Amino acid sequence: MEEKKSSTLNGAAVPDDVKGELALGETVSKQECQSELVSGSTAEPKLRLKIDFHVMPLVSIIYLLCFIDRANIGNARVAGLEKDLGMSGYQYNTCLSIFYISYILFEIPLNMCCKWIGPGWFIPVCCIGFGVCTIGTAYVKDFSQLCALRFLLGIFEAPMLPANAYYLSRWYRRSELTFRLSLFIISASLAGAFGGLLASVILRLPGIGSVHSWQMIFLIEGVVTVIVEFIALATLTDRPESAIWLTEEQKTLAADRVTSERIGTTEVIDQYTRKKFMAGITSPVAITTSIIFLLNNITVHGLSFFLPTIVQTIFPERTVTDQQLLTVPPYALGTVMCLIFCFLSWRLDKRGIFLIMFAPFSMIGYSMFLATSAAHVRYAATFLPVCGIFAYGAMTNSHVSANLVSDTARSSGIAFTVMISNFGGLISTWAFLPFDSPRYRIGNGLNLAAQSTIFILAVGKYFWIRTTNKKRASRNVEAELNGLSVAEIQDLDWHHPGFRFRN
């Protein structure tokens, strides 16, 4: 369903000549003037705060539950899952890999379905699906049943990150998006913290019928997910136009402030075209950023699935409950650092420099893992990677969104970035192997190499953007657009001669 085309700014009529210039996107400066006109309104901060309170809490809770339901298998493993199901060798790694196979295959198709159906309906329905899969995992009897449910879980969770990032891009400006993305992406680090806390509490509860120990983790967390998502199905607002909690003037302002930053664009939600779809997945920024996200996901998902196991090898004399609790502090630090860095990104309207800054934390941490066998030093090393790895989720997706113009291109570009990144999750499932315990030199060495490569790519992309923008500044925008229709100009997306990449 399309949004109404905007013809006002802050409630005032836009002159026909201005609308024509915006439709053709003749210069960057005209687009920036419109952006300044919208942002200069005193009504905008009030509107942004209203959107924050109505949209962000539910989106954050949804992603928190998503990551808990994905990663709780790590807590269940420590609590006896492998023993009860008769698993051995590399079967645990195999069931983790199966999740990512379906996750990768369904990433882009489901995110395009999200645009077609509308995220306000699509996101909660997918969440109910993965909640049911989590409940079902409590009743598995063998390895094959566990693999089947992990495959289904991957399908329902596949669109969660790109769909939520795309959804928020309907509501927020480029500079605002990183911090808002961080508010739900920190759910990944909170999920690690809450996952350990919940597991330690749940494991103390008496069983329910035939369900006991690790099975209770899946049952309780799955039931909570389903209950919350039925609430989301009734309350998650699909788009500004359908927000009953906004006035008509606020709905107009909400659309105008988003379109004001998109050169050659006059509407928030555009018609799908193949050219705009391809623009999203062929953008040099999207391709490079997706590789950075892939490499970072090797670290993030390796940590989520194997941190309980790593802690267990560092402190083998501790009880299972204590080992679960020791996974909480690193995630808590990761949450705080993610918020700090993403808040600075919002205020500075910068992302590229932060993509460079995060990697050295992990490079130092994994060097420590490889250099020593001292338990307390190795545990201290788990605190360094989390200082940057969770913030990458917000930075990479907002960076891609900031460097694409149309709604369609952003939908496909974000989905492409997340799809490629999940190969990192697939790789991570084979990073920490049983024969490599307790030092896990392969896994820690792989993470060191991945984060070092991120640093090189981020530096290279940063300077490529600066060089490319200097070349674009010399182009004759009016001459290159001469003879093109409005639709053809909109299909250009980032190829538009007046477009500038954002660092």
Side-chain angles (χ1 to χ4, degrees):
M1 184 180 293
E2 288 188 35
E3 288 282 355
K4 293 186 293 186
K5 292 188 177 181
S6 172
S7 60
T8 62
L9 289 176
N10 299 337
V14 179
D16 291 340
D17 57 337
V18 175
K19 285 191 286 184
E21 289 171 355
L22 289 174
L24 293 175
E26 290 180 357
T27 64
V28 176
S29 61
K30 288 168 185 171
Q31 200 76 21
E32 290 174 345
C33 286
Q34 186 191 12
S35 180
E36 290 172 5
L37 178 58
V38 175
S39 62
S41 169
T42 57
E44 188 178 9
K46 295 180 180 178
L47 171 64
R48 184 172 58 234
L49 187 63
K50 200 171 186 179
I51 293 172
D52 286 341
F53 277 106
H54 281 84
V55 172
M56 288 310 308
L58 199 51
V59 169
S60 299
I61 292 171
I62 285 172
Y63 199 68
L64 169 68
L65 294 170
C66 170
F67 211 88
I68 285 177
D69 287 357
R70 177 190 314 178
N72 55 15
I73 191 171
N75 301 108
R77 184 192 194 189
V78 173
L81 175 142
E82 288 180 298
K83 180 181 177 181
D84 288 353
L85 297 185
M87 295 167 59
S88 60
Y90 302 115
Q91 288 186 322
Y92 177 74
N93 304 79
T94 300
C95 73
L96 295 183
S97 299
I98 286 173
F99 168 86
Y100 283 104
I101 291 171
S102 58
Y103 201 102
I104 292 167
L105 289 175
F106 288 89
E107 193 83 61
I108 291 180
L110 287 178
N111 209 53
M112 298 315 295
C113 286
C114 178
K115 175 178 170 58
W116 175 55
I117 297 172
W121 295 96
F122 182 82
I123 292 173
V125 168
C126 285
C127 292
I128 292 170
F130 68 69
V132 171
C133 288
T134 302
I135 295 172
T137 307
Y139 295 94
V140 298
K141 300 301 181 184
D142 55 39
F143 170 69
S144 60
Q145 292 178 4
L146 178 63
C147 287
L149 279 167
R150 292 295 293 183
F151 186 87
L152 289 174
L153 186 70
I155 294 174
F156 287 113
E157 290 205 1
M160 283 300 98
L161 178 53
N164 277 293
Y166 162 65
Y167 175 57
L168 294 181
S169 72
R170 289 185 169 189
W171 297 89
Y172 291 104
R173 286 177 172 275
R174 179 191 67 246
S175 61
E176 301 164 351
L177 188 58
T178 301
F179 183 64
R180 272 69 189 184
L181 284 175
S182 76
L183 292 177
F184 85 80
I185 286 179
I186 59 168
S187 300
S189 56
L190 284 173
F194 280 124
L197 286 171
L198 283 172
S200 64
V201 172
I202 291 171
L203 289 173
R204 296 177 181 178
L205 298 175
I208 301 175
S210 62
V211 177
H212 63 282
S213 65
W214 60 267
Q215 296 171 313
M216 290 287 289
I217 296 175
F218 291 112
L219 179 62
I220 292 175
E221 292 175 359
V223 168
V224 171
T225 297
V226 171
I227 291 172
V228 171
E229 301 316 331
F230 270 111
I231 295 172
L233 192 61
T235 58
L236 191 66
T237 305
D238 186 65
R239 59 195 183 279
E241 186 184 62
S242 62
I244 60 175
W245 40 271
L246 292 178
T247 66
E248 290 303 317
E249 292 77 11
Q250 288 174 327
K251 290 178 183 179
T252 300
L253 176 58
D256 288 338
R257 69 194 216 99
V258 173
T259 57
S260 67
E261 294 186 320
R262 302 177 188 172
I263 192 166
T265 301
T266 57
E267 54 197 357
V268 176
I269 303 175
D270 59 353
Q271 285 281 6
Y272 169 90
T273 69
R274 185 177 179 276
K275 287 185 177 180
K276 284 183 281 194
F277 173 85
M278 292 304 297
I281 64 177
T282 59
S283 163
V285 171
I287 292 171
T288 309
T289 305
S290 68
I291 297 172
I292 289 174
F293 201 13
L294 181 157
L295 293 167
N296 188 65
N297 266 1
I298 293 175
T299 304
V300 170
H301 291 288
L303 199 69
S304 67
F305 290 129
F306 293 100
L307 184 57
T309 302
I310 292 170
V311 169
Q312 189 180 49
T313 61
I314 295 175
F315 301 109
E317 74 284 354
R318 300 288 186 93
T319 65
V320 171
T321 300
D322 286 343
Q323 290 166 354
Q324 301 278 12
L325 291 173
L326 283 168
T327 66
V328 175
Y331 283 112
L333 176 63
T335 301
V336 173
M337 296 302 292
C338 180
L339 285 173
I340 291 173
F341 282 130
C342 292
F343 180 80
L344 290 174
S345 171
W346 170 27
R347 290 308 185 187
L348 298 174
D349 193 13
K350 300 292 183 183
R351 289 150 295 277
I353 192 66
F354 288 100
L355 293 176
I356 297 171
M357 287 171 51
F358 296 152
F361 289 106
S362 295
M363 292 163 66
I364 295 170
Y366 287 108
S367 296
M368 291 169 62
F369 266 119
L370 291 169
T372 182
S373 59
H376 288 87
V377 175
R378 297 183 72 223
Y379 182 62
T382 64
F383 287 82
L384 284 170
V386 298
C387 291
I389 59 174
F390 293 115
Y392 270 115
M395 292 289 176
T396 52
N397 283 279
S398 63
H399 192 52
V400 170
S401 179
N403 285 287
L404 295 169
V405 180
S406 66
D407 187 70
T408 299
R410 284 181 297 105
S411 177
S412 64
I414 293 171
F416 172 78
T417 300
V418 177
M419 182 196 75
I420 296 299
S421 76
N422 283 310
F423 283 100
L426 182 60
I427 294 169
S428 74
T429 63
W430 295 95
F432 295 88
L433 300 171
F435 72 84
D436 204 27
S437 176
R439 297 289 296 276
Y440 292 112
R441 293 182 182 276
I442 294 174
N444 292 322
L446 177 63
N447 282 316
L448 176 59
Q451 294 295 322
S452 300
T453 307
I454 287 174
F455 182 77
I456 295 169
L457 287 174
V459 171
K461 179 172 61 61
Y462 183 86
F463 286 103
W464 177 86
I465 286 177
R466 294 184 63 176
T467 302
T468 301
N469 283 344
K470 287 180 181 179
K471 292 179 180 178
R472 283 179 172 246
S474 63
R475 295 170 68 174
N476 187 328
V477 178
E478 188 172 353
E480 291 190 40
L481 296 180
N482 187 37
L484 297 180
S485 67
V486 172
E488 289 173 326
I489 291 172
Q490 291 178 338
D491 279 345
L492 290 174
D493 207 86
W494 60 270
H495 293 287
H496 191 294
F499 177 78
R500 300 292 182 269
F501 289 107
R502 306 282 182 170
N503 242 328

